[in-house]
């Protein structure tokens, strides 16, 4: 530990330990998700990703980014973000039955595609409803969630279900209940949430494994390049024209 920055050192240690726990306990589930995504992409499917509140960041992080897979469909609605209104709005809408259905009605889905739902607690109507919607559409639902927190809290959805109870595959993020990880002083709230760091690590690990699986088949994985390097724009335009015209 660096005594000059003890709290930051504690945070980094917790993050590393948590990611190592994911590697240890969730490897087989990650492999299963990779197989589903690789198969779907080979059949011209796309990977859909949903998150509400701060979890919407995962959809942005996976979409149209250097080093990322091209066939990603981020489910983004401003009502689920902290933009364009008070921060509490996204919390209220995340807890509103029916809102996720209305959002998802505006997207196109095909049976067999992979639908990833990101949620730390897995208890609110937003992610629960999204998972139920995707299941009805015949999609393979993957949940990345804190099973510890979810099991310790009641559902807020009218079905009484939580995300991990609905998904076809569940990757446990092993993030502690409440998300914040560092105790500054006993009796005071912990600081420094880690669900974004851990969740992004899991997702980008999946991206790397999918790319590796496609290369092993003797094919070239559909990957975006940085538009800030020479040749990036030309490469990305070819990817867009070949795969999804909306990226032109």
């Amino acid at each position: 530990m660096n005594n000059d920055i003890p709290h930051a050192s504690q945070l980094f240690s917790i993050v590393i330990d948590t990611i190592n726990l994911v590697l240890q306990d969730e490897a087989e589930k990650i492999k299963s998700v990779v197989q589903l995504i690789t198969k779907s992409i080979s059949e011209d499917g796309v990977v859909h990703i949903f998150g509400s509140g701060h979890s919407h960041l995962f959809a942005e992080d996976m979409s149209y980014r250097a080093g990322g897979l091209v066939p990603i469909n981020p489910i983004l609605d401003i009502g689920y973000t902290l933009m364009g209104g008070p921060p509490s709005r996204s919390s209220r809408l995340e807890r509103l039955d029916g809102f996720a259905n209305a959002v998802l009605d505006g997207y196109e889905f095909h049976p067999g595609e992979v639908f990833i739902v990101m949620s730390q607690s897995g208890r609110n109507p937003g992610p629960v409803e999204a998972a139920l919607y995707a299941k009805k559409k015949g999609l393979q639902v993957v949940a990345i969630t804190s099973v510890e927190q979810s099991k310790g809290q009641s559902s807020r959805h009218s079905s009484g279900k939580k995300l991990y109870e609905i998904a076809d595959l569940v990757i446990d993020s092993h993030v502690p209940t409440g998300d914040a990880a560092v105790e500054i002083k006993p009796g005071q709230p912990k600081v420094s949430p880690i669900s974004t760091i851990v969740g992004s690590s899991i997702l980008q690990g999946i991206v790397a494994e999918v790319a590796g699986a496609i290369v092993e088949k003797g094919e070239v994985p559909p990957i975006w390049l940085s538009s800030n390097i020479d040749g990036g724009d030309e490469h990305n335009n070819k990817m867009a024209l070949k795969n999804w015209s909306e990226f032109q």
Side-chain angles (χ1 to χ4, degrees), residues 164-183:
Y164 78 91
E165 298 172 316
I166 301 165
D168 298 296
L169 283 168
V170 178
I171 297 175
D172 188 352
S173 68
H174 294 277
V175 173
T177 297
D179 203 350
V182 177
E183 183 179 72

Side-chain angles (χ1 to χ4, degrees), residues 48 50 75 104 109 113-117 130-131 134 139-142:
H48 310 276
F50 173 94
I75 308 297
L104 294 171
F109 302 104
E113 291 180 332
V114 178
F115 190 97
I116 301 174
V117 183
L139 278 67
Q140 300 290 326
V141 177
V142 175

Side-chain angles (χ1 to χ4, degrees), residues 194-239:
I194 64 171
S195 62
T196 305
I197 301 170
V198 175
S200 287
S201 297
I202 294 171
L203 288 171
Q204 295 302 341
I206 290 171
V207 168
E209 289 296 326
V210 169
I214 293 173
V215 168
E216 286 179 4
K217 293 167 60 178
E219 302 172 5
V220 178
I223 300 294
W224 299 113
L225 289 182
S226 170
S227 60
N228 295 311
I229 62 173
D230 292 343
D233 287 339
E234 291 78 7
H235 171 88
N236 292 340
N237 286 338
K238 290 178 181 178
M239 287 287 102

Side-chain angles (χ1 to χ4, degrees), residues 2-236:
N2 188 323
N3 291 328
D4 291 332
I5 49 171
H7 304 305
S9 295
Q10 182 184 2
L11 171 65
F12 298 160
S13 294
I14 292 170
V15 168
I16 291 168
D17 289 346
T18 304
I19 292 174
N20 281 332
L21 187 57
V22 170
L23 278 171
Q24 173 185 302
D25 290 0
E26 308 302 318
E28 289 303 315
K29 293 178 182 177
I30 289 172
K31 285 173 61 177
S32 295
V33 173
V34 169
Q35 291 169 358
L36 288 176
I37 292 175
T38 303
K39 182 177 184 294
S40 180
I41 289 177
S42 73
E43 298 171 349
D44 295 325
V46 302
V47 180
H48 310 276
I49 180 164
F50 173 94
S52 53
H54 283 93
S55 289
H56 93 276
L57 294 170
F58 296 113
E60 290 194 40
D61 189 51
M62 288 284 282
S63 174
Y64 199 50
R65 183 166 188 179
L69 291 167
V70 174
I72 298 289
N73 175 36
I75 308 297
L76 296 172
D77 185 273
I78 196 167
Y80 276 144
T81 75
L82 277 69
M83 298 178 285
S88 60
R89 182 190 60 181
S90 65
S91 294
R92 294 198 302 271
L93 290 176
E94 183 181 33
R95 298 180 185 184
L96 180 64
D97 274 26
F99 189 75
N101 284 339
V103 170
L104 294 171
D105 279 342
Y107 290 84
E108 182 176 345
F109 302 104
H110 301 280
E113 291 180 332
V114 178
F115 190 97
I116 301 174
V117 183
M118 307 293 297
S119 176
Q120 163 68 11
S121 70
R123 69 185 303 205
N124 286 315
V128 170
E129 195 166 276
L132 290 170
Y133 185 103
K135 292 274 283 188
K136 289 180 181 178
K137 292 289 185 178
L139 278 67
Q140 300 290 326
V141 177
V142 175
I144 300 179
T145 187
S146 171
V147 175
E148 172 194 286
Q149 176 162 346
S150 193
K151 285 186 175 181
Q153 309 286 326
S154 61
S155 173
R156 289 177 172 146
H157 187 253
S158 56
S159 69
K161 294 183 178 180
K162 289 174 276 190
L163 177 60
Y164 78 91
E165 298 172 316
I166 301 165
D168 298 296
L169 283 168
V170 178
I171 297 175
D172 188 352
S173 68
H174 294 277
V175 173
T177 297
D179 203 350
V182 177
E183 183 179 72
I184 305 297
K185 183 178 180 180
Q188 294 184 1
K190 291 183 178 181
V191 302
S192 302
I194 64 171
S195 62
T196 305
I197 301 170
V198 175
S200 287
S201 297
I202 294 171
L203 288 171
Q204 295 302 341
I206 290 171
V207 168
E209 289 296 326
V210 169
I214 293 173
V215 168
E216 286 179 4
K217 293 167 60 178
E219 302 172 5
V220 178
I223 300 294
W224 299 113
L225 289 182
S226 170
S227 60
N228 295 311
I229 62 173
D230 292 343
D233 287 339
E234 291 78 7
H235 171 88
N236 292 340

